[in-house]
Amino acid sequence: MKNIARILIDCKDAKGLVYQVSKVFFERSLNIDSNQEFVDKQVSKFFMRSVVSGDFEVSELESAIQEILPENAHLRVIAPEKKKIILLVTKESHALGDILIRHSAGELDANIQAVIGNHKTLEQLVKRFDIPFHHIPAEGMDRQTHEKNVMAVINQYHFDFLVLAKYMRILTQNFVDNYAQKIINIHHSFLPAFIGANPYKQAFERGVKIIGATAHFVTSDLDEGPIIAQNIIPVNHRFDWKDMQRAGRDVEKAVLSRALSLVLNDRVFIHGNKTIVF
Amino acid sequence: MKNIARILIDCKDAKGLVYQVSKVFFERSLNIDSNQEFVDKQVSKFFMRSVVSGDFEVSELESAIQEILPENAHLRVIAPEKKKIILLVTKESHALGDILIRHSAGELDANIQAVIGNHKTLEQLVKRFDIPFHHIPAEGMDRQTHEKNVMAVINQYHFDFLVLAKYMRILTQNFVDNYAQKIINIHHSFLPAFIGANPYKQAFERGVKIIGATAHFVTSDLDEGPIIAQNIIPVNHRFDWKDMQRAGRDVEKAVLSRALSLVLNDRVFIHGNKTIVF
Amino acid sequence: MKNIARILIDCKDAKGLVYQVSKVFFERSLNIDSNQEFVDKQVSKFFMRSVVSGDFEVSELESAIQEILPENAHLRVIAPEKKKIILLVTKESHALGDILIRHSAGELDANIQAVIGNHKTLEQLVKRFDIPFHHIPAEGMDRQTHEKNVMAVINQYHFDFLVLAKYMRILTQNFVDNYAQKIINIHHSFLPAFIGANPYKQAFERGVKIIGATAHFVTSDLDEGPIIAQNIIPVNHRFDWKDMQRAGRDVEKAVLSRALSLVLNDRVFIHGNKTIVF
Amino acid sequence: MKNIARILIDCKDAKGLVYQVSKVFFERSLNIDSNQEFVDKQVSKFFMRSVVSGDFEVSELESAIQEILPENAHLRVIAPEKKKIILLVTKESHALGDILIRHSAGELDANIQAVIGNHKTLEQLVKRFDIPFHHIPAEGMDRQTHEKNVMAVINQYHFDFLVLAKYMRILTQNFVDNYAQKIINIHHSFLPAFIGANPYKQAFERGVKIIGATAHFVTSDLDEGPIIAQNIIPVNHRFDWKDMQRAGRDVEKAVLSRALSLVLNDRVFIHGNKTIVF
């Protein structure tokens, strides 16, 4: 019975944690395929991600590790399987399209359960890939009602993460709380610059020489959630804000794909308003 | 009499400007060594930078061009000579050091007239390069008095630009107005993110994955002046704010040097709160 | 009759070319929307790209410009229309997929006429987008016969460019000569490093810290054609060559899309073994 | 007795190495300040770098670790002290200057023992910083004689690394063998592109859109030694090779400083023709 597991630990720091955990691995003759640790000394918190392989039973391994960890430790022993995701979109196709192509090539470490759009614009593209598309219009109703309709669809599926692939709606606190640490967004600026609406217009007005994109977990503070990945491209005075938007799309989709790859491979710890990325 | 000149024009846009200007060049048999134009269509403004060489007299060329330009045009005909600069510093040596080394190798298109420091820390470094250092302490006096003392030193010299090479003092409106469009600053963040004090601490607290630096002209709005150049480097959760500061220094000095090179070669137009960089 | 045209000129350098060309524009009251020039002084060659708009007739404008240019000048007056392209692929979907998504969103300045594959692998993906796919197998025949079959398909279509979107076959001199200056390839290395087969394996063996991709026009010298665009990403000792390949895909597709956008907008001059990119 | 040490291990891979090493740390109540491992599975080789602090005796710790490692393991227990370096230069000041400035600011984790130049050009700059400069001319003698003279100077000093800061001479096998794994060079291209003389001219001739620099250990194969760090900057058709050289200098000095920082902090393992960089 050859098994593989990702072990993710976050807990209060203590002497001997690496020793204790690696002892559990050693006693079971496990191979450590990769191993990374980090201690946040300011708050004395320990993070560890190991990938182990060998002949083990998941629940037994989990108990053995749990036993040697300090109280209130957060332990996850995860089989390296494809996650399930639901995409939320509006009208722009670049982030969605990139994910669909990766999915169709088997390069995305996730199965797309469904795509939900507040407009019909992207329905045809999604259907080309034989993936369910749900059009949940937002016109003529309040935010709560629309979100209730969206949640009704979401709750038809099993999923690990909701991916906002250029979903241009602000979420309520209630929605965010419902899916805490499960919503990933791509923001079209180098956060914290240009929070809020139309970042490219803001960037153009400010005359920046670089624009960027930020993938982050969504919390109830708009654009303030833990950052997973960021990247940038240079622009110049010849770019009006539409040009910036066009150029920015390539960064947006690359950053979102990078962040997804990290999250789907269980490489990301949320740590307060930050992330640890192994 | 073989001459070279940089011609910089900004004026209201009009049909035929390139034709009219190139006609002036052609009639004088000048070579166009390089030529760049930009029209800001939003505000209908024309920018042009040409480098011409040939047998001409500067004042005659200047009048000939002025004549064909629209009213209120701003024309500069500049000989490609080394500019004169004064550096203002505090305690950090990296930006200053980079400029001193370039200067000493003859690679800076400027002569450093003097360095002014509000601390004595960098005096020895400056003196190694046989450049005057003026220590103008700020302790125990109000901002106005200190600036009066700084200006007294500045006014002993001829200069084209004041370069704030990590000068950690906020300037008064009066000081800035005195040297309008002549003060270049390096800010240790990717503006407009992390305006104000200790940007690296702010960046650390926010958990960004990229830090940057911004060189800009100084206006009376703190950190809001026209941006000349920006660049970034990636960071991760292993960087505390001191590490970010250390890593950031290399970007700061590179961005400041890049901006200086552009400004000293007359490649930068200030256009409202933005720059046109040819 | 409001027209737009891209004017591309390459010719022997001579005094007054900018003046003469802008005079033609001025006399017809054309607006210059953008204008760029470059002189290669080594070989005394002049390049110019202007976008003009106004009330003109293409053929009249073309003759007027041709008249003032030196002998043997190469002039193109091009309407800003979508180009026609044919894609050649093998098994990898990332470069193709990126182009299909852009095409489907109307963001590609080209219409895809057809996709030709030497394997069937990508047929389904192409058909999802209602684009003709031609499977032209190469097994069991010599290179000439296979290319004859490919050319038979190509010649069914009108096209401006052949795009090798990870087409893993070496082309004969005859094929290349047939479509001179019309074939664009994406090579999966930072050329001229790692010419030839399996560049990622070569890069891995060499222990580089950066990998890249290069889009270039294809000439009969393998991997030696004029470079249009290049980009890179950092790697480290944790990357085996498969990881490099995976990471490299994102650069490949980004570089190819960038190069396509430049070529399709008539921004690229071929100049010996180099390109001028405006 | 609070101590700090960097522990560097490379050895044949075996089960339980992390466990065994962390047990040694745990039994001595040491803090693990940082910890990184890597296994090269192709050749079954294990690399580990730990920084530990606590109350220990270096030789006792060393023996304890050595005992649990496989045969032929390479173990280093290193106090985090400033290394000693000797710089070799020719005429260009940018790489040297950057190191001098860092040294003078206390930011270089090394003491510069001396600078050796085959020309006198940089003598004055070095002397500004009160560092010994040795002019060892190469004219009118064969390579062996010149190197003998250089080695005579080198051998007057204790040193950990020889840094070729744009030393434009090819070294003999004998010289390289004498200082195996101790010579760090900055090559002015993105290796393995443009090996050999005048890489910028080669890059210009090839029409690349990106140029780079590579810091590497020197082996007897010219430009083929293990790469420590690389970086690049974009160029375009407006750059002649002198412009590329000018622009390249900033990359060269940044890459060399980055590589030095890694090496001086004992973060680099040489592994065949590659490096592991923690």
Side-chain angles (χ1 to χ4, degrees):
Chain A
M1 195 187 67
K2 168 86 173 180
N3 249 339
I4 300 186
R6 297 172 188 152
I7 321 286
L8 279 82
I9 298 168
D10 54 308
C11 63
K12 213 178 147 324
D13 191 27
K15 227 168 255 186
L17 282 168
V18 175
Y19 162 64
Q20 302 275 13
V21 175
S22 59
K23 189 170 176 228
V24 172
F25 298 160
F26 181 64
E27 287 168 350
R28 280 150 193 80
S29 273
L30 306 186
N31 284 310
I32 301 177
D33 294 335
S34 81
N35 202 32
Q36 284 174 289
E37 306 115 42
F38 174 67
V39 175
D40 183 333
K41 278 161 196 161
Q42 273 199 325
V43 296
S44 197
K45 195 138 185 227
F46 174 85
F47 299 87
M48 182 173 185
R49 180 186 186 272
S50 302
V51 182
V52 296
S53 58
D55 182 0
F56 65 91
E57 225 217 283
V58 169
S59 62
E60 194 279 331
L61 181 62
E62 192 160 353
S63 324
I65 301 172
Q66 193 74 64
E67 205 157 293
I68 54 93
L69 293 181
E71 251 184 289
N72 299 320
H74 184 210
L75 168 68
R76 286 172 286 166
V77 178
I78 305 169
E81 281 166 2
K82 291 215 169 190
K83 301 279 193 282
K84 293 185 178 75
I85 62 174
I86 295 172
L87 305 176
L88 280 81
V89 301
T90 296
K91 288 179 174 176
E92 286 175 279
S93 66
H94 57 286
L96 170 66
D98 194 56
I99 294 170
L100 289 172
I101 291 288
R102 286 174 199 268
H103 184 251
S104 119
E107 283 168 20
L108 191 74
D109 299 302
N111 290 316
I112 303 174
Q113 303 300 96
V115 178
I116 298 169
N118 60 317
H119 286 271
K120 276 199 126 176
T121 320
L122 299 172
E123 179 165 25
Q124 199 202 356
L125 176 62
V126 173
K127 291 201 160 157
R128 287 187 193 281
F129 289 89
D130 306 320
I131 288 169
F133 181 90
H134 301 270
H135 175 219
I136 314 289
E139 274 83 36
M141 65 187 75
D142 60 20
R143 196 171 297 279
Q144 282 70 25
T145 312
H146 180 245
E147 283 190 355
K148 223 186 66 188
N149 296 344
V150 171
M151 284 191 268
V153 174
I154 289 175
N155 295 334
Q156 293 169 26
Y157 297 94
H158 291 282
F159 71 95
D160 297 286
F161 294 101
L162 298 177
V163 181
L164 312 184
K166 300 292 288 176
Y167 183 62
M168 306 308 277
R169 309 248 327 145
I170 291 172
L171 303 171
T172 65
Q173 168 113 32
N174 176 50
F175 188 98
V176 172
D177 289 348
N178 254 317
Y179 307 113
Q181 309 209 338
K182 296 195 160 188
I183 313 177
I184 295 158
N185 184 44
I186 180 70
H187 182 78
H188 39 314
S189 91
F190 180 75
L191 286 176
F194 311 128
I195 285 171
N198 214 330
Y200 291 120
K201 228 171 203 160
Q202 292 183 56
F204 171 73
E205 297 299 340
R206 181 60 188 91
V208 291
K209 300 299 185 187
I210 282 176
I211 56 172
T214 304
H216 62 99
F217 287 103
V218 176
T219 57
S220 50
D221 280 336
L222 183 65
D223 300 336
E224 294 288 352
I227 293 170
I228 306 164
Q230 302 190 289
N231 210 347
I232 57 97
I233 44 164
V235 293
N236 59 50
H237 61 268
R238 296 191 188 278
F239 287 67
D240 64 26
W241 78 264
K242 287 277 185 190
D243 298 324
M244 289 188 181
Q245 186 181 49
R246 209 169 296 121
R249 279 182 196 132
D250 288 348
V251 194
E252 290 170 23
K253 76 185 188 194
V255 169
L256 180 55
S257 283
R258 168 91 183 124
L260 271 184
S261 164
L262 294 168
V263 168
L264 296 172
N265 283 286
D266 304 303
R267 294 182 166 281
V268 182
F269 289 84
I270 297 179
H271 175 36
N273 199 41
K274 302 182 187 179
T275 59
I276 312 293
V277 179
F278 284 135
Chain B
M1 193 188 69
K2 167 87 171 178
N3 248 338
I4 300 186
R6 299 172 186 151
I7 320 287
L8 280 82
I9 298 167
D10 54 308
C11 62
K12 213 179 147 325
D13 190 29
K15 227 167 257 189
L17 281 170
V18 175
Y19 162 65
Q20 303 276 14
V21 175
S22 59
K23 188 169 178 231
V24 171
F25 298 160
F26 181 65
E27 288 167 351
R28 279 148 192 83
S29 272
L30 305 187
N31 284 312
I32 301 178
D33 294 334
S34 81
N35 202 30
Q36 284 174 289
E37 308 115 41
F38 173 67
V39 175
D40 183 333
K41 279 161 195 162
Q42 273 198 325
V43 296
S44 198
K45 193 135 188 228
F46 175 85
F47 299 87
M48 184 171 183
R49 179 186 186 273
S50 302
V51 181
V52 297
S53 58
D55 182 359
F56 64 91
E57 224 218 284
V58 169
S59 62
E60 193 280 330
L61 181 62
E62 194 161 353
S63 326
I65 301 172
Q66 193 74 66
E67 205 158 292
I68 55 93
L69 293 181
E71 250 183 290
N72 300 318
H74 183 208
L75 168 68
R76 287 171 286 166
V77 178
I78 305 169
E81 281 166 2
K82 290 216 171 190
K83 302 278 193 282
K84 292 185 179 73
I85 63 175
I86 295 172
L87 305 176
L88 280 79
V89 300
T90 296
K91 288 179 174 177
E92 287 176 277
S93 66
H94 56 286
L96 169 66
D98 195 56
I99 295 170
L100 289 173
I101 292 289
R102 287 175 198 269
H103 185 250
S104 119
E107 282 168 21
L108 190 75
D109 298 303
N111 291 315
I112 303 174
Q113 304 299 97
V115 179
I116 299 169
N118 59 317
H119 287 271
K120 275 199 126 173
T121 320
L122 299 171
E123 179 165 25
Q124 198 203 356
L125 177 61
V126 173
K127 291 201 160 158
R128 287 187 192 282
F129 289 89
D130 306 319
I131 289 168
F133 181 89
H134 300 269
H135 176 218
I136 313 290
E139 275 83 35
M141 64 187 77
D142 60 20
R143 197 172 297 280
Q144 281 69 26
T145 312
H146 179 247
E147 283 189 354
K148 224 187 66 191
N149 296 343
V150 171
M151 285 192 266
V153 175
I154 291 175
N155 295 334
Q156 293 169 26
Y157 296 95
H158 290 283
F159 71 95
D160 296 286
F161 294 102
L162 297 177
V163 181
L164 311 185
K166 301 291 288 177
Y167 183 61
M168 305 308 277
R169 309 247 330 144
I170 291 172
L171 303 172
T172 65
Q173 169 112 32
N174 176 49
F175 188 99
V176 173
D177 289 350
N178 252 319
Y179 308 112
Q181 307 208 342
K182 296 196 161 187
I183 313 177
I184 295 159
N185 184 42
I186 179 70
H187 182 79
H188 38 315
S189 91
F190 180 75
L191 286 176
F194 311 128
I195 284 171
N198 215 328
Y200 290 120
K201 229 172 204 163
Q202 292 183 56
F204 172 73
E205 296 299 340
R206 181 61 189 89
V208 291
K209 301 300 185 186
I210 283 175
I211 56 172
T214 304
H216 62 99
F217 287 103
V218 177
T219 57
S220 50
D221 280 335
L222 182 65
D223 301 334
E224 296 287 351
I227 293 171
I228 306 164
Q230 302 190 288
N231 210 346
I232 56 97
I233 45 164
V235 293
N236 60 49
H237 61 269
R238 295 190 189 278
F239 287 67
D240 64 25
W241 78 264
K242 287 278 185 188
D243 298 323
M244 289 187 180
Q245 187 182 46
R246 209 168 297 122
R249 279 182 196 132
D250 288 347
V251 194
E252 291 169 23
K253 77 185 187 193
V255 169
L256 180 55
S257 283
R258 168 90 184 125
L260 271 185
S261 163
L262 293 168
V263 168
L264 296 172
N265 283 286
D266 303 304
R267 294 182 165 280
V268 183
F269 289 85
I270 297 178
H271 173 37
N273 199 41
K274 302 182 188 180
T275 59
I276 312 293
V277 179
F278 285 135
Chain C
M1 194 186 69
K2 167 86 172 181
N3 249 337
I4 301 187
R6 298 172 188 152
I7 320 288
L8 279 81
I9 299 167
D10 53 309
C11 62
K12 212 178 148 325
D13 191 28
K15 226 168 256 188
L17 281 169
V18 175
Y19 162 64
Q20 302 275 15
V21 175
S22 60
K23 187 169 178 231
V24 172
F25 297 160
F26 181 65
E27 288 168 349
R28 280 149 192 81
S29 273
L30 305 186
N31 284 312
I32 302 177
D33 294 334
S34 80
N35 202 32
Q36 285 174 287
E37 307 117 40
F38 173 67
V39 175
D40 183 333
K41 279 161 196 164
Q42 273 199 324
V43 296
S44 197
K45 195 137 186 225
F46 174 84
F47 299 88
M48 183 171 184
R49 180 186 186 272
S50 301
V51 181
V52 296
S53 58
D55 182 359
F56 64 91
E57 225 217 283
V58 169
S59 62
E60 192 279 331
L61 180 62
E62 193 160 352
S63 326
I65 300 172
Q66 194 74 65
E67 205 158 291
I68 55 94
L69 294 181
E71 251 184 289
N72 301 319
H74 183 209
L75 168 68
R76 286 172 287 167
V77 178
I78 305 168
E81 282 166 2
K82 290 215 171 192
K83 302 278 193 282
K84 293 185 177 73
I85 62 175
I86 295 173
L87 305 177
L88 280 79
V89 300
T90 296
K91 288 178 172 178
E92 286 176 277
S93 66
H94 57 286
L96 170 66
D98 195 57
I99 295 170
L100 289 172
I101 291 288
R102 287 175 199 268
H103 184 251
S104 120
E107 283 168 23
L108 191 75
D109 298 303
N111 290 316
I112 303 174
Q113 304 299 96
V115 178
I116 298 169
N118 60 317
H119 287 271
K120 275 199 126 174
T121 320
L122 299 172
E123 178 165 25
Q124 199 203 354
L125 177 61
V126 173
K127 291 201 159 159
R128 288 187 193 281
F129 288 89
D130 306 319
I131 289 168
F133 181 90
H134 300 269
H135 175 219
I136 313 290
E139 275 82 38
M141 66 187 75
D142 60 19
R143 196 172 297 280
Q144 282 69 25
T145 313
H146 179 246
E147 282 190 355
K148 223 187 66 190
N149 296 344
V150 171
M151 285 192 266
V153 174
I154 290 175
N155 296 333
Q156 292 168 27
Y157 296 94
H158 292 282
F159 70 95
D160 296 286
F161 295 101
L162 297 177
V163 181
L164 311 184
K166 300 292 287 176
Y167 184 61
M168 305 308 277
R169 309 250 326 147
I170 291 172
L171 303 172
T172 65
Q173 168 112 34
N174 176 49
F175 188 98
V176 172
D177 289 350
N178 254 317
Y179 307 113
Q181 308 207 341
K182 295 196 161 186
I183 313 178
I184 295 158
N185 184 43
I186 179 70
H187 182 78
H188 39 314
S189 90
F190 179 74
L191 286 176
F194 311 127
I195 283 171
N198 214 331
Y200 290 120
K201 229 172 204 160
Q202 293 183 56
F204 172 73
E205 297 299 341
R206 182 60 189 89
V208 291
K209 301 299 185 188
I210 282 176
I211 56 172
T214 304
H216 62 99
F217 287 104
V218 177
T219 58
S220 51
D221 281 334
L222 183 65
D223 301 335
E224 295 287 353
I227 293 171
I228 307 163
Q230 303 189 288
N231 210 346
I232 56 97
I233 46 163
V235 293
N236 60 49
H237 61 269
R238 296 191 187 277
F239 287 66
D240 64 26
W241 78 264
K242 286 279 185 186
D243 297 324
M244 289 188 180
Q245 187 181 49
R246 209 169 297 123
R249 278 182 197 133
D250 288 347
V251 194
E252 291 170 22
K253 76 185 187 193
V255 169
L256 180 55
S257 283
R258 168 90 184 126
L260 271 184
S261 163
L262 294 168
V263 168
L264 297 172
N265 282 286
D266 303 304
R267 294 182 165 280
V268 182
F269 290 84
I270 296 178
H271 174 36
N273 199 41
K274 302 183 188 178
T275 59
I276 312 294
V277 179
F278 284 135
Chain D
M1 193 186 72
K2 169 87 172 179
N3 248 337
I4 301 185
R6 298 171 188 154
I7 321 287
L8 280 82
I9 298 168
D10 54 308
C11 62
K12 212 178 146 325
D13 192 26
K15 227 167 256 186
L17 281 169
V18 175
Y19 162 64
Q20 302 275 13
V21 175
S22 59
K23 190 170 174 229
V24 172
F25 298 161
F26 182 64
E27 287 168 350
R28 279 149 193 81
S29 272
L30 306 186
N31 284 312
I32 302 177
D33 293 335
S34 81
N35 202 33
Q36 283 174 289
E37 306 116 41
F38 174 67
V39 175
D40 183 332
K41 278 160 195 161
Q42 273 198 326
V43 296
S44 197
K45 197 140 184 225
F46 174 85
F47 299 86
M48 183 171 182
R49 180 187 187 271
S50 302
V51 181
V52 296
S53 58
D55 182 0
F56 64 92
E57 223 217 284
V58 169
S59 62
E60 194 280 331
L61 181 64
E62 193 159 353
S63 324
I65 301 172
Q66 192 75 63
E67 205 159 291
I68 55 94
L69 293 181
E71 252 184 289
N72 300 319
H74 183 211
L75 168 68
R76 286 172 286 166
V77 178
I78 305 168
E81 282 166 1
K82 291 214 170 191
K83 302 277 193 283
K84 294 186 176 74
I85 62 175
I86 295 172
L87 305 176
L88 280 81
V89 301
T90 296
K91 288 180 174 177
E92 286 175 278
S93 65
H94 57 286
L96 169 66
D98 194 54
I99 294 170
L100 290 173
I101 291 289
R102 286 175 199 269
H103 185 251
S104 121
E107 282 169 20
L108 191 74
D109 298 303
N111 290 316
I112 302 173
Q113 304 299 97
V115 178
I116 298 169
N118 60 317
H119 286 271
K120 276 199 127 176
T121 320
L122 299 172
E123 179 165 25
Q124 198 203 356
L125 177 61
V126 173
K127 292 201 161 160
R128 287 188 193 281
F129 289 89
D130 306 318
I131 288 170
F133 181 89
H134 300 269
H135 176 219
I136 314 290
E139 275 83 38
M141 66 187 75
D142 60 19
R143 195 172 296 281
Q144 281 69 25
T145 313
H146 179 246
E147 282 190 356
K148 223 187 67 190
N149 296 344
V150 171
M151 284 191 270
V153 174
I154 290 175
N155 295 333
Q156 294 168 26
Y157 296 94
H158 292 282
F159 70 95
D160 296 286
F161 295 102
L162 297 177
V163 180
L164 311 184
K166 300 292 287 178
Y167 183 62
M168 305 308 277
R169 308 246 331 144
I170 292 173
L171 302 172
T172 65
Q173 169 111 34
N174 176 50
F175 188 97
V176 172
D177 289 349
N178 253 318
Y179 307 112
Q181 308 209 341
K182 295 196 161 188
I183 314 178
I184 295 158
N185 184 43
I186 179 71
H187 182 79
H188 39 315
S189 90
F190 179 76
L191 287 176
F194 312 127
I195 284 171
N198 214 330
Y200 290 120
K201 227 171 204 161
Q202 292 183 56
F204 172 73
E205 296 299 340
R206 181 60 188 89
V208 291
K209 300 300 186 187
I210 282 177
I211 56 172
T214 304
H216 62 98
F217 287 104
V218 176
T219 58
S220 50
D221 280 335
L222 183 64
D223 300 336
E224 294 288 352
I227 293 171
I228 307 165
Q230 303 190 288
N231 210 348
I232 56 97
I233 46 165
V235 293
N236 59 49
H237 60 270
R238 296 191 188 277
F239 287 67
D240 64 26
W241 78 264
K242 287 277 185 190
D243 297 323
M244 289 189 182
Q245 186 181 49
R246 208 168 297 121
R249 278 181 198 135
D250 288 347
V251 194
E252 290 170 22
K253 76 184 189 194
V255 169
L256 179 56
S257 283
R258 168 91 184 125
L260 271 184
S261 163
L262 293 168
V263 168
L264 297 172
N265 283 286
D266 304 303
R267 295 183 165 279
V268 183
F269 289 85
I270 296 179
H271 174 35
N273 199 41
K274 302 182 188 180
T275 59
I276 313 292
V277 179
F278 284 136

